[in-house]
Amino acid sequence: MLRYTLMRLGIFAGCLVVVWALVHSGLAPRGLGDSNGLWIVLLALLISAPISFVVLRKERDRASEGIVRRVERAKANLEANRTQEDVADDTARSQGQSSGQAQTS
């Protein structure tokens, strides 16, 4: 996931530099008043999003598979812990019933 995030930030940074150059060279429109910096960032986000979606598809799928594996492993560990607790609880109850019967006899 870190790799995907860094690649996504790299694409955004590249778009930011390109948009900044286009705006300052006059090829792209400037923002209104003092909003030029915000305009450049928003335009870079707008351009980088579809590029990232297409270019990073395989990396996103790989990261997703890793997350699914970790979630399944965590679920399996929780189920194993729950089963151990149930066995321990059943054992304690059966021992408590056995000693309770022995005391009443």
Side-chain angles (χ1 to χ4, degrees):
M1 198 63 185
L2 179 64
R3 180 177 169 172
Y4 171 76
T5 303
L6 291 174
M7 293 171 81
R8 183 95 194 259
L9 284 172
I11 290 173
F12 171 72
C15 289
L16 187 65
V17 169
V18 169
V19 168
W20 178 83
L22 290 174
V23 167
H24 284 286
S25 69
L27 294 174
R30 293 186 179 273
L32 298 174
D34 292 333
S35 67
N36 198 36
L38 183 61
W39 167 252
I40 292 171
V41 170
L42 289 176
L43 196 55
L45 279 171
L46 186 67
I47 293 170
S48 69
I51 292 171
S52 295
F53 183 75
V54 173
V55 172
L56 300 179
R57 178 171 286 144
K58 289 181 183 178
E59 190 62 36
R60 187 174 51 251
D61 290 343
R62 190 176 318 147
S64 175
E65 289 171 3
I67 290 170
V68 168
R69 280 193 305 271
R70 278 186 261 154
V71 168
E72 288 175 353
R73 194 173 341 136
K75 284 181 181 179
N77 288 341
L78 286 173
E79 185 61 34
N81 288 341
R82 187 176 301 134
T83 302
Q84 286 176 349
E85 289 174 2
D86 290 345
V87 168
D89 188 44
D90 291 344
T91 303
R93 287 178 191 222
S94 66
Q95 288 175 353
Q97 288 177 354
S98 298
S99 64
Q101 289 175 354
Q103 289 176 356
T104 59
S105 297

